[in-house]
Amino acid sequence: MKPPGPRRPSVPFFWNCCFGLVSVLRMVSYHISSQEYLSCSASDSGAGISIHERHAFSVTTFDPNGKLAQVEHSMLAASMGAPIVACVRNNTILLAAPQFLPSPFMVDDGTPRFAMVAPHLVVGHSGISADGRVVLEAAQRMALEHAYTFDEPIPLPLFLEELSLLFQEYTMKPLARPFGCTLIVCYIPPSSQTIDMSSSKPRLFQIDGSGAVSEFGTTAVLHGNLGKDLKLKSELRDMSIENNISARSGRLSLSQVLESAVGRMNKSPLNSIQSTNGINDAHNIENDEESNIVGMDNNNLPRFLSIVSASFDMQNGLVVERRLAKC
């Protein structure tokens, strides 16, 4: 008969006490959190954490006012990017955007502002440059896969729908954040699609961080306080009705118009206000967008301005130029 083996030692009394203490602490913490939630639900203001602050960290949760705070934050981040101006002239679309560089020896910051995704589509982005590059790569992949699969350029409605769904997906995706950029989509119909006169004209569209798609007219000012410049809007309208101008002259003219607008913004009295103490910190936060436009970073260090201009038509495709501004 086999002798009995050694008995397994019982769990020490110390570890039993530890397990019991952990269980009690969990119950107490759950009770405290439930009481805080009930107090925040009863009143939005007062001592403790506000219920609006609780919803501000969630992408997929609405606050009691029916807003998505993270989506609004992403659109605010996109609006702090460099503005883009566009003008439709005959069968050509002219684009321009300021580019702020930390040194006069730098030619480019490595981020393309405008890129062709299909023979009839050009996309520009404003806002966080890293997000813009990701969305631009997705747009190019989308157009390439459609052309390879169906042996035709991707249609405009499908392209806008797929891009808007990509933006909207990240407003509902857990453990992610919305894109902090806004796109401007330039469309010129191919020469074969001239039966419908309403669709034979160049068109401009905007896709914001929430996935909403809106169409511009013959002129567009994307982001920045330059949209409040009435003289800039008037000059863009004048350029849209000019006929006897080549694409190269149009790029130069639009660059000069944008440079003048940035110069006027730089001389605005509102931009000359500087904070010397902590009292005006809130005012500086509100004017961050203006400081980015006029070529000053958050540390009040000057940055050198260059203008990136582009022209897009079916004959020459997309042509991009850079020139150093004088302001």
Side-chain angles (χ1 to χ4, degrees), residues 6 16 33 45 57 90 97 119 198 227 230 242 262 288 316:
N16 288 331
S33 61
S45 60
F57 294 97
N90 291 337
S198 60
L230 299 179
E242 292 180 355
V262 174
D288 277 346
N316 302 317

Side-chain angles (χ1 to χ4, degrees), residues 257-306:
V257 168
L258 180 58
E259 181 180 348
S260 301
V262 174
R264 289 193 299 270
M265 185 64 66
N266 194 15
K267 297 177 183 179
S268 175
L270 186 60
N271 296 322
S272 62
I273 300 176
Q274 301 293 335
S275 173
T276 57
N277 50 33
I279 299 177
N280 295 329
D281 287 342
H283 180 76
N284 286 341
I285 293 176
E286 295 176 355
N287 291 336
D288 277 346
E289 180 182 349
E290 298 169 359
S291 64
N292 290 336
I293 291 178
V294 298
M296 302 290 289
D297 59 10
N298 294 331
N299 297 324
N300 295 329
L301 298 177
R303 293 184 292 175
F304 298 90
L305 174 65
S306 64

Side-chain angles (χ1 to χ4, degrees), residues 201-222:
K201 299 179 181 179
R203 303 169 68 182
L204 299 172
F205 298 89
Q206 171 187 329
I207 305 178
D208 59 18
S210 65
V213 181
S214 56
E215 184 174 1
F216 293 106
T218 56
T219 61
V221 179
L222 188 67

Side-chain angles (χ1 to χ4, degrees), residues 74-327:
S74 68
M75 297 177 69
L76 178 60
S79 66
M80 292 181 180
I84 296 177
V85 295
C87 174
V88 177
R89 183 181 57 83
N90 291 337
N91 295 323
T92 304
I93 298 178
L94 302 175
L95 300 162
Q99 189 177 46
F100 302 107
L101 302 174
S103 171
F105 300 102
M106 294 181 63
V107 179
D108 190 14
D109 60 357
T111 300
R113 294 295 182 271
F114 313 109
M116 179 178 291
V117 298
H120 60 298
L121 291 171
V122 165
V123 174
H125 62 89
S126 175
I128 301 178
S129 300
D131 291 2
R133 290 194 295 266
V134 171
V135 177
L136 182 60
E137 182 182 359
Q140 291 175 336
R141 186 187 308 111
M142 184 190 311
L144 183 61
E145 290 177 354
H146 183 90
Y148 180 80
T149 304
F150 299 99
D151 195 19
E152 65 174 5
I154 184 170
L156 175 64
L158 179 61
F159 181 76
L160 295 176
E161 180 183 0
E162 292 295 333
L163 273 185
S164 63
L165 289 178
L166 175 64
F167 275 89
Q168 196 269 341
E169 178 185 357
Y170 276 82
T171 64
M172 301 177 60
K173 192 173 184 179
L175 303 178
R177 61 168 179 82
F179 290 109
C181 63
T182 303
L183 300 186
I184 181 170
V185 179
C186 307
Y187 168 75
I188 293 182
S191 57
S192 60
Q193 299 180 1
T194 57
I195 300 176
D196 187 4
M197 298 302 295
S198 60
S199 62
S200 63
K201 299 179 181 179
R203 303 169 68 182
L204 299 172
F205 298 89
Q206 171 187 329
I207 305 178
D208 59 18
S210 65
V213 181
S214 56
E215 184 174 1
F216 293 106
T218 56
T219 61
V221 179
L222 188 67
H223 290 328
N225 286 339
L226 293 180
K228 303 176 183 179
D229 193 342
L230 299 179
K231 185 176 181 181
L232 173 62
K233 293 183 178 181
S234 176
E235 292 175 342
L236 290 177
R237 284 194 297 267
D238 294 339
M239 289 189 61
S240 64
I241 61 177
E242 292 180 355
N243 296 324
N244 300 324
I245 295 181
S246 61
R248 183 177 181 181
S249 300
R251 293 193 299 267
L252 179 60
S253 300
L254 188 59
S255 299
Q256 294 174 350
V257 168
L258 180 58
E259 181 180 348
S260 301
V262 174
R264 289 193 299 270
M265 185 64 66
N266 194 15
K267 297 177 183 179
S268 175
L270 186 60
N271 296 322
S272 62
I273 300 176
Q274 301 293 335
S275 173
T276 57
N277 50 33
I279 299 177
N280 295 329
D281 287 342
H283 180 76
N284 286 341
I285 293 176
E286 295 176 355
N287 291 336
D288 277 346
E289 180 182 349
E290 298 169 359
S291 64
N292 290 336
I293 291 178
V294 298
M296 302 290 289
D297 59 10
N298 294 331
N299 297 324
N300 295 329
L301 298 177
R303 293 184 292 175
F304 298 90
L305 174 65
S306 64
I307 304 296
V308 181
S309 60
S311 61
F312 175 47
D313 55 38
M314 294 303 297
Q315 287 75 23
N316 302 317
L318 179 66
V319 180
V320 181
E321 291 182 348
R322 292 178 177 86
R323 56 184 297 271
L324 187 64
K326 299 179 181 179
C327 62

Side-chain angles (χ1 to χ4, degrees), residues 18-29:
C18 291
F19 293 151
L21 181 60
V22 169
S23 302
V24 171
L25 290 177
R26 286 182 178 178
M27 294 178 62
V28 172
S29 62

Side-chain angles (χ1 to χ4, degrees), residues 5-13 15-16:
R7 297 179 60 184
R8 297 180 59 185
S10 60
V11 180
F13 177 76
W15 294 112
N16 288 331

